[in-house]
């Protein structure tokens, strides 16, 4: 029996990009903010015994990374006079005298904590208290109720076996809605505003505001004030007072309750650079608290035993030393690469946007610039420039700016108008318009054309949206 066999030879060419562990680590470090890098340095210093702060490092920087917990806590006080007694008392009765460090207590309260405290002031049965806490547990961070009464009643029965009628749960929900701040427990924005209005002292303005939110909420959201005024038969002055009253209400009532301190910390902006100018010269500084690192003496190559001593030296110990030294050397190299890349990138930005920094930081002086412009100066890849500018901020004498603000697309070849100047003129027109009769996009187009900015109406709409300016209808005021 014969079989047919065939052999074939094919050649394929494939292009693959493989990053070394060093490149991956560098990309991760480059994306980190300054506080994140400082935390990473502290972590690595604790984990890797082969790494230490350089002896040539400035004493202040060394102290920042070697200070004891007690020193760190004392540093929170402005002067020695502000240090409380229990921090400054001398413990010299005996060397083995026990000392109990006072603990810092987290006094922040959640929405559940704040509302539960108020529930305790009501004369509720154990059953009602359980239902009320279940209702509170279904509030979101803004204080809105995320579930309907029927669904919550079903969940309570399925989880606890206690039968609860929707009517009974509704009465408990009314108790929750009576808690502070007003508006808690609403299912939507309209109900949230109504709950707050009903807590206000009765007046003509409050009555009109309730009428508007109850029956004309859609027209109010669209700012169709003339239609509301005509339907209700009220004067513009009376309507204006009611609208202004509604605007004073809080659309997110739970936002004033206790918040997580960790969330507040995330909102703080810590600049990575500082740019200072005297009108002619521009000085760039890299802001960080990262010390100069070095290899610890016992992990250096010269500290390893000679070949004659190798026999008595533990192979595992030798492997451990070399591994930790290699990790420490790589970490030091990555840190230097990050610092150099950041400074090189920001220097290129300052070079291209010099008019902005020297000219009083007027945004109209910003020139069109894209990532490719920076990459051409620094000779870095676009991905490196993008990581180096993502989430980074620069501090100046007049404020703090995100680096992404400096990147603006160039006008297209057919455009003869600088984008930034046209947007600045558009904003000036909107700021100076009659708010009772705001300018339409077409009217703005005509005005810009008179000022020497011949752009199309769709371009006006695009610029307006980029600056977060709503359409004319939503800018209308009474």
């Amino acid at each position: 029996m014969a079989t047919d066999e065939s052999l074939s030879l094919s050649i394929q060419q494939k292009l693959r990009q493989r990053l070394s562990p060093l490149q991956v680590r560098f990309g991760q470090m480059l994306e980190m903010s300054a506080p994140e890098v400082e935390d990473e340095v502290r972590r690595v210093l604790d984990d890797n015994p082969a790494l230490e702060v350089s002896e040539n490092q400035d004493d202040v920087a060394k102290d920042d990374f070697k200070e004891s917990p007690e020193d760190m806590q004392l540093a929170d006080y402005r002067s020695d006079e502000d240090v409380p007694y229990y921090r400054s008392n001398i413990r010299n009765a005996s060397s083995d005298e026990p000392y109990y460090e006072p603990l810092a207590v987290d006094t922040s309260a959640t929405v559940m904590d704040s509302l539960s405290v108020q529930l305790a002031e009501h004369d509720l049965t154990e059953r009602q208290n359980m239902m009320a806490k279940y209702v509170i547990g279904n509030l979101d961070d803004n204080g809105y109720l995320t579930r309907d009464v029927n669904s919550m009643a079903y969940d309570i029965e399925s989880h606890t076996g206690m039968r609860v009628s929707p009517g009974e749960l509704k009465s408990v929900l009314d108790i929750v809605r009576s808690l502070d701040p007003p508006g808690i427990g609403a299912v939507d924005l309209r109900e949230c505003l109504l709950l707050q209005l009903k807590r206000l002292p009765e007046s003509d303005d409050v009555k009109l505001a309730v009428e508007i939110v109850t029956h004309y909420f859609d027209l109010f959201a669209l700012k169709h004030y003339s239609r509301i005024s005509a339907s209700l038969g009220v004067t513009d002055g009376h309507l204006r007072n009611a609208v202004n009253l509604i605007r004073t209400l809080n659309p997110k009532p739970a936002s004033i309750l206790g918040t997580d301190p960790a969330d507040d910390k995330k909102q703080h902006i810590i600049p990575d650079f500082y740019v200072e100018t005297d009108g002619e010269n521009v000085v760039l500084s890299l802001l960080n608290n990262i010390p100069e690192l070095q290899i610890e003496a016992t992990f250096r190559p010269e500290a390893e035993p000679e070949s004659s001593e190798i026999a008595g030296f533990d192979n595992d110990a030798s492997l451990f030393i070399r591994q930790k030294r290699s990790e420490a050397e790589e970490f030091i190299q990555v840190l230097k690469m990050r610092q150099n890349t950041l400074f090189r990138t920001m220097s290129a930005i300052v070079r291209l946007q010099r008019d902005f920094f020297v000219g009083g930081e007027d945004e109209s002086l910003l020139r069109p610039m894209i990532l490719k412009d920076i990459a051409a100066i620094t000779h870095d890849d676009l991905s490196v420039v993008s990581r180096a500018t993502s989430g980074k901020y620069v501090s100046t004498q007049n404020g703090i700016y995100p680096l992404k603000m400096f990147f603006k697309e160039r006008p297209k070849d057919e455009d003869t108008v600088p984008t930034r100047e046209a947007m600045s003129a558009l904003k000036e027109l909107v700021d100076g318009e009659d708010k009772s009769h705001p300018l339409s996009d077409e009217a703005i187009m005509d005005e810009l054309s008179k000022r020497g900015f011949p752009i199309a109406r769709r371009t006006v709409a695009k610029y307006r949206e980029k600056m977060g300016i709503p359409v004319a209808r939503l800018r209308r005021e009474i």
Side-chain angles (χ1 to χ4, degrees):
M1 183 176 179
T3 59
D4 294 333
E5 294 184 0
S6 62
L7 298 176
S8 62
L9 181 64
S10 62
I11 300 177
Q12 290 182 337
Q13 185 176 9
K14 294 183 179 179
L15 179 63
R16 294 183 179 179
Q17 182 181 18
R18 294 185 178 180
L19 299 177
S20 66
L22 180 66
Q23 291 173 314
V24 174
R25 187 72 179 273
F26 170 64
Q28 294 172 344
M29 292 284 287
L30 194 58
E31 288 182 335
M32 293 182 182
S33 63
E36 291 173 336
V37 173
E38 291 173 13
D39 290 341
E40 180 67 8
V41 170
R42 290 187 177 92
R43 185 191 68 79
V44 176
L45 281 172
D46 290 338
D47 292 346
N48 193 340
L51 199 64
E52 68 175 2
V53 177
S54 173
E55 296 178 355
N56 298 326
Q57 180 69 17
D58 185 81
D59 291 339
V60 176
K62 290 174 62 178
D63 291 341
D64 288 341
F65 280 79
K66 289 188 175 182
E67 59 186 351
S68 66
E70 291 185 10
D71 294 334
M72 294 177 65
Q73 292 172 349
L74 290 175
D76 293 335
Y77 301 98
R78 292 176 298 180
S79 64
D80 293 340
E81 297 179 355
D82 295 328
V83 179
Y85 170 75
Y86 68 83
R87 288 276 181 216
S88 58
N89 64 336
I90 301 176
R91 294 170 284 146
N92 56 2
S94 64
S95 59
D96 58 350
E97 178 186 6
Y99 177 76
Y100 301 98
E101 179 71 19
L103 298 177
V105 180
D106 183 7
T107 58
S108 60
T110 62
V111 175
M112 172 67 80
D113 296 334
S114 301
L115 298 181
S116 296
V117 170
Q118 298 181 54
L119 280 179
E121 300 175 358
H122 289 70
D123 187 15
L124 302 179
T125 64
E126 183 177 350
R127 177 186 177 91
Q128 289 176 317
N129 190 62
M130 184 277 296
M131 288 189 292
K133 289 186 176 181
Y134 189 86
V135 170
I136 295 174
N138 282 277
L139 300 178
D140 62 17
D141 294 338
N142 296 322
Y144 288 90
L145 189 62
T146 59
R147 305 287 301 282
D148 60 80
V149 173
N150 292 329
S151 298
M152 288 189 294
Y154 175 80
D155 288 345
I156 292 176
E157 182 177 354
S158 62
H159 286 92
T160 66
M162 182 175 65
R163 185 177 295 274
V164 176
S165 67
E168 185 181 11
L169 193 59
K170 177 63 170 62
S171 64
V172 173
L173 175 58
D174 292 337
I175 296 176
V176 173
R177 288 176 172 173
S178 68
L179 303 178
D180 291 326
I184 285 288
V187 297
D188 54 28
L189 178 58
R190 173 187 289 184
E191 190 172 34
C192 177
L193 299 179
L194 284 175
L195 290 174
Q196 296 179 60
L197 287 171
K198 292 177 180 178
R199 295 273 199 101
L200 299 177
E202 188 172 342
S203 67
D204 292 339
D205 292 339
V206 172
K207 289 181 180 178
L208 181 56
V210 170
E211 181 71 14
I212 292 173
V213 175
T214 303
H215 299 105
Y216 301 94
F217 187 73
D218 292 338
L219 294 178
F220 169 76
L222 296 174
K223 292 192 174 183
H224 290 323
Y225 299 130
S226 58
R227 294 175 59 182
I228 297 176
S229 179
S231 300
L232 294 175
V234 296
T235 63
D236 288 345
H238 192 186
L239 181 63
R240 184 184 303 109
N241 292 338
V243 170
N244 291 337
L245 176 61
I246 296 174
R247 288 176 176 170
T248 62
L249 305 178
N250 187 358
K252 299 178 181 180
S255 62
I256 66 175
L257 296 177
T259 57
D260 187 352
D263 293 337
D264 293 338
K265 185 178 180 180
K266 295 176 183 177
Q267 297 175 1
H268 294 170
I269 295 177
I270 299 179
D272 302 85
F273 310 93
Y274 179 70
V275 173
E276 185 177 9
T277 176
D278 58 4
E280 295 182 3
N281 301 317
V282 180
V283 179
L284 170 64
S285 303
L286 184 61
L287 303 178
N288 58 57
N289 193 27
I290 301 175
E292 182 180 348
L293 304 178
Q294 66 180 15
I295 304 299
E296 201 271 334
T298 58
F299 283 81
R300 296 171 187 170
E302 57 268 21
E304 290 189 23
E306 299 292 339
S307 57
S308 59
E309 303 175 0
I310 269 294
F313 193 75
D314 191 348
N315 289 334
D316 292 338
S318 178
L319 180 62
F320 173 81
I321 290 175
R322 293 176 182 177
Q323 178 182 350
K324 291 301 180 182
R325 182 174 66 225
S326 176
E327 293 176 358
E329 290 172 343
E330 178 182 298
F331 187 75
I332 293 173
Q333 183 179 357
V334 168
L335 271 182
K336 290 181 179 178
M337 291 171 59
R338 178 187 184 274
Q339 301 295 83
N340 292 336
T341 303
L342 288 180
F343 192 83
R344 189 167 59 245
T345 301
M346 189 63 208
S347 297
I349 294 176
V350 172
R351 173 181 169 183
L352 294 179
Q353 302 293 359
R354 179 182 175 83
D355 292 341
F356 170 80
F357 293 105
V358 176
E361 300 173 23
D362 182 358
E363 293 192 19
S364 64
L365 298 177
L366 286 174
R367 56 176 292 183
M369 183 182 74
I370 57 178
L371 294 176
K372 187 180 295 185
D373 298 329
I374 301 300
I377 297 176
T378 62
H379 305 291
D380 291 318
D381 189 81
L382 286 177
S383 62
V384 173
V385 177
S386 178
R387 286 187 173 95
T389 55
S390 178
K392 308 300 190 300
Y393 294 83
V394 57
S395 175
T396 68
Q397 295 163 319
N398 296 324
I400 298 177
Y401 304 94
L403 296 195
K404 289 297 184 182
M405 184 196 77
F406 299 102
F407 293 91
K408 300 297 178 182
E409 294 182 2
R410 295 191 186 92
K412 296 180 180 179
D413 293 339
E414 62 270 18
D415 293 339
T416 58
V417 181
T419 303
R420 175 61 63 174
E421 294 181 12
M423 294 174 68
S424 179
L426 190 155
K427 186 177 186 304
E428 183 180 344
L429 284 172
V430 172
D431 291 342
E433 69 184 356
D434 181 4
K435 296 303 180 183
S436 60
H437 298 88
L439 298 172
S440 63
D441 288 349
E442 188 170 354
I444 293 177
M445 178 191 69
D446 295 338
E447 289 295 328
L448 288 176
S449 180
K450 295 177 182 178
R451 296 190 179 193
F453 301 102
I455 58 178
R457 186 189 60 80
R458 64 179 180 274
T459 307
V460 171
K462 181 179 71 174
Y463 290 170
R464 177 176 50 74
E465 291 172 359
K466 278 187 176 181
M467 292 186 289
I469 299 175
V471 297
R473 172 174 48 80
L474 297 181
R475 301 199 305 271
R476 185 181 298 115
E477 298 179 1
I478 305 174

